[in-house]
Amino acid sequence: MIGSDIQYAISLLQQEQVVAIPTETVYGLAGNAFSPRAVSTIFAVKNRPTFDPLIVHTSRFERAEAFTTKIPDIAYRLADRFMPGPLTLLLPKAEIIPDIVTAGLPRVAIRVPSHPVAQELLGGLDFPLAAPSANPFGYISPTTAQHVEDQLGDKVPYILDGGSCQVGVESTIVGFEDGQPVVYRKGGLAVEDIEALIGKVVVRAFSSSDPQAPGMLKSHYAPRVPLVLGDLSTLQQQFKGQAIGVIAFRQPLPGVPLEQQLVLSPSSNLAEAARNLFAGMRRLDGLPLDIIIAELLPEQGLGRAINDRLRRAAGGA
Ligand code: TXA
Ligand code: MG
């Protein structure tokens, strides 16, 4: 059931049930992070392997001090500037966080969403929320309550509606190795914005073979219709005679019906493109297409996160 009753969501969460919640990045499937029972329900509902750890959400970064044993100075600087917002910090895990949340890994992922509904919800709870994106494992993340309803509606007692997600791609994940910041997932906070605050950072996206985050699998964000990347006109020739869907940055591809196309941002705005990406991919994925052809965006700002999702959707990140 979709609704906007925050108190009802709170009461379900207090009873160790799961609730889908809005954030500014994507919708999350939330449960009490202190409750192994609630957390195991999240894994079951998503059909997610338990080796893939969950992000812990709280209303203010100061509340997360109890969830970690050490916060480097750079982490405080990042948190001061970018939290609440689309940033997740990986910090050494404290005992209070159950192992099931971090899949036994030594670090815990902490995020403070800025979405007003998420803020009000988290502010009304005396425990943090573990929440992965509210999609079946491996599929495109949801950016509206209806997306969650379409796929998990019969498995989730309540979907808290917070409208369309304003960022539209998942949070940027930053951890620290020997005190040096490392970006593990390109997301809704641009790497350039991080570097403007703390200087050059290493960008080393998780891969499926990386034991530190086995969840960032290649085939993540994948639509059912096969997706290929490249020059749109060339691909159009290559797949001539087939039902083609198109993901283009600025303008539609001549010769393909407009309803089979996703134009991410006619004004070349990367933030707008990020906002439109997942909902558009879902729409195309609902059409009777043989193939989706897509072009990469400029490799800057949120374009880097978008390109990462497109590459993963194509199975090649
Ligand atoms: O924007 C977001 O981050 C959204 C919203 C709901 O907050 N959440 C999200 O969660 O994207 P999820 O589970 O779909 O992706 C989080 C990724 C996981 O794939 C996992 O690999 C990594 O973060 N991660 C989480 N906890 C970790 C940990 N303790 N150590 C290493 N990686 C971790
Ligand atoms: Mg996810």
Side-chain angles (χ1 to χ4, degrees):
M1 182 180 51
I2 298 178
S4 49
D5 187 343
I6 294 180
Q7 285 312 315
Y8 181 57
I10 286 177
S11 69
L12 290 171
L13 291 163
Q14 284 168 340
Q15 295 162 45
E16 296 176 289
Q17 302 212 48
V18 298
V19 173
I21 64 165
T23 83
E24 71 279 19
T25 57
V26 301
Y27 275 71
L29 182 64
N32 180 348
F34 291 158
S35 159
R37 203 178 106 184
V39 174
S40 64
T41 307
I42 295 172
F43 282 103
V45 167
K46 258 190 82 102
N47 197 18
R48 176 165 169 137
T50 48
F51 60 69
D52 190 0
L54 308 182
I55 296 174
V56 174
H57 299 67
T58 184
S59 60
R60 287 181 294 113
F61 186 64
E62 298 79 73
R63 292 181 82 174
E65 285 171 352
F67 313 154
T68 171
T69 53
K70 186 171 187 297
I71 304 179
D73 282 347
I74 312 177
Y76 272 115
R77 289 175 62 202
L78 289 169
D80 276 352
R81 173 71 73 87
F82 298 119
M83 288 182 168
L87 169 68
T88 293
L89 291 176
L90 279 180
L91 296 168
K93 173 182 120 48
E95 280 291 316
I96 193 169
I97 301 295
D99 283 333
I100 184 174
V101 172
T102 61
L105 293 168
R107 292 186 288 186
V108 58
I110 293 167
R111 169 154 143 69
V112 180
S114 63
H115 192 294
V117 172
Q119 273 290 323
E120 191 177 334
L121 177 75
L122 288 162
L125 295 168
D126 56 11
F127 49 82
L129 293 177
S133 49
N135 48 293
F137 183 69
Y139 195 65
I140 304 162
S141 294
T143 53
T144 67
Q146 189 61 47
H147 292 161
V148 184
E149 172 73 27
D150 291 345
Q151 291 194 298
L152 299 177
D154 55 344
K155 296 185 180 140
V156 179
Y158 199 57
I159 300 164
L160 191 54
D161 196 351
S164 294
C165 299
Q166 288 304 296
V167 174
V169 292
E170 299 86 349
S171 60
T172 300
I173 301 180
V174 178
F176 304 89
E177 293 178 17
D178 302 321
Q180 297 306 305
V182 179
V183 172
Y184 294 107
R185 179 173 72 182
K186 297 173 217 170
L189 175 62
V191 171
E192 289 90 335
D193 291 343
I194 294 174
E195 292 187 327
L197 181 72
I198 60 171
K200 206 85 190 124
V201 295
V202 177
V203 180
R204 180 148 42 76
F206 291 135
S207 72
S208 44
S209 57
D210 186 341
Q212 296 202 73
M216 296 296 291
L217 300 173
K218 265 188 182 177
S219 65
H220 255 66
Y221 316 102
R224 290 182 204 89
V225 179
L227 185 148
V228 289
L229 286 170
D231 174 70
L232 292 178
S233 311
T234 310
L235 291 170
Q236 183 180 23
Q237 283 306 312
Q238 191 180 328
F239 293 102
K240 222 184 172 96
Q242 302 198 37
I244 298 177
V246 175
I247 301 179
F249 180 27
R250 273 181 282 251
Q251 51 202 5
L253 183 66
V256 175
L258 282 180
E259 60 274 15
Q260 287 165 223
Q261 303 206 44
L262 166 61
V263 178
L264 290 170
S265 175
S267 61
S268 307
N269 179 318
L270 293 168
E272 180 184 46
R275 212 156 37 235
N276 289 332
L277 180 67
F278 288 158
M281 284 172 73
R282 273 176 191 259
R283 179 177 63 77
L284 292 186
D285 206 25
L287 300 175
L289 300 172
D290 299 316
I291 188 91
I292 297 171
I293 63 176
E295 64 181 352
L296 290 173
L297 276 58
E299 196 69 31
Q300 63 188 55
L302 295 194
R304 299 170 75 167
I306 295 168
N307 288 344
D308 172 84
R309 304 308 183 269
L310 290 173
R311 290 191 182 103
R312 284 177 198 278

